[in-house]
Amino acid sequence: MAEYADLVHAYESGIGVDGSSMPGVDPGSNLAAALPVWALAGGAVTAYSRATDRFRVAAGLDPLGEVPDPGRITAAFSSERLFRAGGAAPDVFAPLSGFFAAADGWIRTHANYPHHRTRLLTALGLPPGTSRADFTKRVAALPASEIEDRAHDHGAIAVRVRTEHEWADSPQGRATAAGPLVAIEPRADRVRADRAANESRFAPTSLQPLRGVRVVDLTRVIAGPVATRALALLGAEVLRIDPPGMPEIEWQFRDTCQGKRSTLLDIRTEWPLFRDLLENADVIISGYRPGALLRAGVDAGQIGPGIVYGRVSAWGEHGPWGDRRGFDSIVQAASGISLIEGAQGDSRSESPVGALPAQALDHASGYLLAAGVIDALVARAHDDTGRDVRVALARTASWLLAAPGRTPDHAPATAPDACYAVTHDSITTAGPALSAYPDFRWPAPQYGADTADWTVRPAGS
C-alpha cells in the first residue's frame, strides 16, 4: 500500500489543469470561468472515484474504473441551478448576502441564516428590520477593513474583497495555502483493540462498498453535506445531526441530504446519547469551525478508537483566520477569485466583482474530503488506526489560483442539462456525479424526522 504522503500527493497531481483527460469537455459549459474550474471539479470527483476503487480492491472487490462523465460532474457542481421545489427555483442568497460597495473598496457578506443576518446588522449598528437599501447606504459610509473587523468581532460574516496578490501576501493567505490539499494524519491515540467486533456489520458490494460503515454527520451548508452524501451514495449509514432551534435552509438540505437520515440532537445537553452514537461509529464528519466541538464539550479523547475524523473548514485550522467563519462565496471574495472572475477593473469601478459559475470550492472540497476519508478507512483495515482528514475551502481556492490554464475570454457559463436531474415527488435535484449511480439511494428525508440511533432506513422508503 502506498504511503499516505503519496496518496495525498495523488490528489493534487491527479487534478488535471485543462480537462484534456476527460472526453467531451466543452469550454463553454456551465463551469466556464476565467479560472480552470472544470479541472478542479473533474479532478475532485476523479479523486473520489479512484479512492472508492482503492476501497473496493482492499475489500476483495473488482474496481469499476469509472470514466467520469463531464455532464454529470458539472451538473452536480451546479446543483442549485437544477433544484426545483414544486417547479420553483430557490433563492440562493438572502437580501443582505452579496457584494456591497464600501467607502474604499468592496465587501462581500453572507447572511443567509437568520442568526448571521442579526449579527451582521448588530455589527454595523443597524436595527433588525433594516432593508437592503439602508444596509447599502451604511456600508458605503464605512471602510471595507472596518466592516470586516466589526463582523468578525460580532460573529458575523463579511470580508473585504482583495486581489489575489493581496491575499497571497497576507499572513492568512500564506497560512491557508500551506500544507496538502487533503491532510491525512494517523492518530496514535485512536488505535483499535478489537477489529472483528467493529467490522462484523460490514457487507461491501460493488456498488455499495461502504455498506455497514457508520458516519456521524455534523455538517451544514454545502461542502460537508456533499462529503457525507458522497459516502452515503456508496452505502454508508449516514446520520446527520442538527441542533434543535437552528433550522437549516430547506432547499439546501434537500439538495445535499439524499441517502442519509436526519435527526435533531443537542450534543451539549444529551451527551450520553451522543457518546453512544460516537462509540458505535466509524467516521465523524464535522463542518463546524475549528474548536467548535471542544466548546460543545467533545474533546479529542472522547473520539473513540479507530474513528476517522473528517473536518472541513473555511480557512484551515491554523493561521490568523483559523477561528473565523466563512463560506465558499466569502473565500472567493477574500482570496482574489471574485476580482479575477469580475471586470478586473479598479476596485471602485461600477462592477469589478464576480463569482465562479458554481460553489465550486464547496463541492470540490466535499469530494476531496470524501476521498480522504475513504483512503483513511482503507488504511485502518491494515493498521487499526484512526486518522484525521482535513480539507479547507481556502486551501482548495489556493490550488485553483495556482493552476495554469486560465481563460479570461471564455464564453458565458451555460445552464446544466436537465437530463442529469432526478425528481421525487415535487423536488428536483442534480443526480449523482458518478455515472454508475443513476440516482441516490433515497431522496432527502424530512428535516430532523429520524431517531438518534443506527437504524438503517428501509430500502425504498
Side-chain angles (χ1 to χ4, degrees):
M1 179 178 177
E3 293 295 327
Y4 263 82
D6 294 334
L7 285 174
V8 173
H9 174 69
Y11 294 132
E12 294 206 42
S13 62
I15 294 179
V17 296
D18 60 3
S20 59
S21 63
M22 306 292 181
V25 175
D26 176 5
S29 74
N30 54 296
L31 293 185
L35 293 167
V37 179
W38 160 247
L40 176 65
V45 174
T46 298
Y48 160 61
S49 176
R50 290 176 180 172
T52 304
D53 268 351
R54 288 192 288 270
F55 189 97
R56 289 189 178 100
V57 171
L61 302 169
D62 291 332
L64 292 187
E66 179 170 308
V67 177
D69 179 340
R72 280 186 169 274
I73 293 172
T74 56
F77 269 62
S78 305
S79 59
E80 72 277 3
R81 300 180 70 184
L82 284 174
F83 185 91
R84 296 291 184 273
D91 292 325
V92 177
F93 290 106
L96 297 192
S97 294
F99 292 106
F100 297 88
D104 60 350
W106 289 80
I107 65 164
R108 180 146 196 177
T109 62
H110 196 289
N112 285 6
Y113 288 96
H115 59 289
H116 288 156
R117 173 191 167 93
T118 298
R119 292 172 186 171
L120 183 60
L121 291 174
T122 300
L124 298 186
L126 295 170
T130 297
S131 67
R132 181 180 173 92
D134 288 341
F135 180 82
T136 300
K137 292 177 184 177
R138 175 61 171 157
V139 169
L142 296 172
S145 293
E146 180 179 338
I147 296 171
E148 183 177 85
D149 291 341
R150 285 190 181 202
H152 174 57
D153 291 342
H154 286 81
I157 304 170
V159 295
R160 178 171 67 86
V161 175
R162 292 164 169 80
T163 68
E164 62 179 312
H165 301 297
E166 282 183 286
W167 178 250
D169 290 341
S170 69
Q172 60 269 27
R174 290 192 295 270
T176 57
L181 195 58
V182 181
I184 305 178
E185 298 175 354
R187 292 293 300 258
D189 60 342
R190 228 180 284 157
V191 178
R192 297 186 301 182
D194 187 354
R195 177 190 305 185
N198 290 308
E199 295 189 351
S200 60
R201 65 181 179 277
F202 294 176
T205 66
S206 181
L207 288 181
Q208 294 189 10
L210 299 187
R211 190 167 66 167
V213 172
R214 291 172 173 171
V215 180
V216 171
D217 180 0
L218 302 173
T219 71
R220 299 189 126 202
V221 195
I222 299 177
V226 164
T228 52
R229 185 184 64 185
L231 298 176
L233 183 68
L234 304 177
E237 300 171 26
V238 179
L239 180 63
R240 170 161 163 165
I241 299 174
D242 283 277
M246 192 177 290
E248 176 64 295
I249 298 169
E250 184 175 1
W251 81 265
Q252 207 163 248
F253 174 82
R254 292 190 173 277
D255 193 42
T256 58
C257 208
Q258 301 97 319
K260 312 176 195 178
R261 295 171 61 243
S262 168
T263 193
L264 301 181
L265 184 69
D266 189 333
I267 65 177
R268 297 167 299 181
T269 61
E270 299 185 73
W271 167 244
L273 180 54
F274 184 58
R275 180 180 59 197
D276 182 66
L277 292 171
L278 292 182
E279 288 177 349
N280 290 280
D282 301 284
V283 178
I284 304 170
I285 305 289
S286 173
Y288 294 104
R289 283 183 303 144
L293 286 185
L294 180 61
R295 290 188 292 274
V298 182
D299 63 39
Q302 293 165 328
I303 296 174
I307 286 283
V308 173
Y309 185 11
R311 304 194 288 278
V312 56
S313 61
W315 312 104
E317 297 189 356
H318 308 287
W321 279 24
D323 65 339
R324 296 201 178 201
R325 295 170 173 84
F327 295 97
D328 183 306
S329 59
I330 297 299
V331 173
Q332 288 188 43
S335 65
I337 291 175
S338 293
L339 289 177
I340 292 170
E341 297 298 338
Q344 301 190 51
D346 180 81
S347 64
R348 288 298 297 164
S349 66
E350 182 178 352
S351 181
V353 286
L356 298 175
Q359 303 290 298
L361 306 181
D362 265 329
H363 287 274
S365 297
Y367 286 110
L368 289 169
L369 179 58
V373 166
I374 294 167
D375 276 331
L377 289 170
V378 172
R380 187 183 71 170
H382 288 260
D383 61 16
D384 293 314
T385 299
R387 281 165 169 78
D388 286 347
V389 183
R390 300 190 307 277
V391 299
L393 304 186
R395 179 63 185 88
T396 303
S398 69
W399 184 95
L400 184 61
L401 286 163
R406 295 188 183 188
T407 54
D409 296 324
H410 60 86
T414 59
D417 194 324
C419 75
Y420 297 109
V422 294
T423 300
H424 296 277
D425 296 326
S426 62
I427 304 297
T428 297
T429 64
L434 299 184
S435 56
Y437 299 82
D439 200 351
F440 299 99
R441 291 197 292 160
W442 55 75
Q446 290 298 311
Y447 180 74
D450 293 301
T451 53
D453 55 34
W454 290 115
T455 301
V456 179
R457 181 169 176 158
S461 65

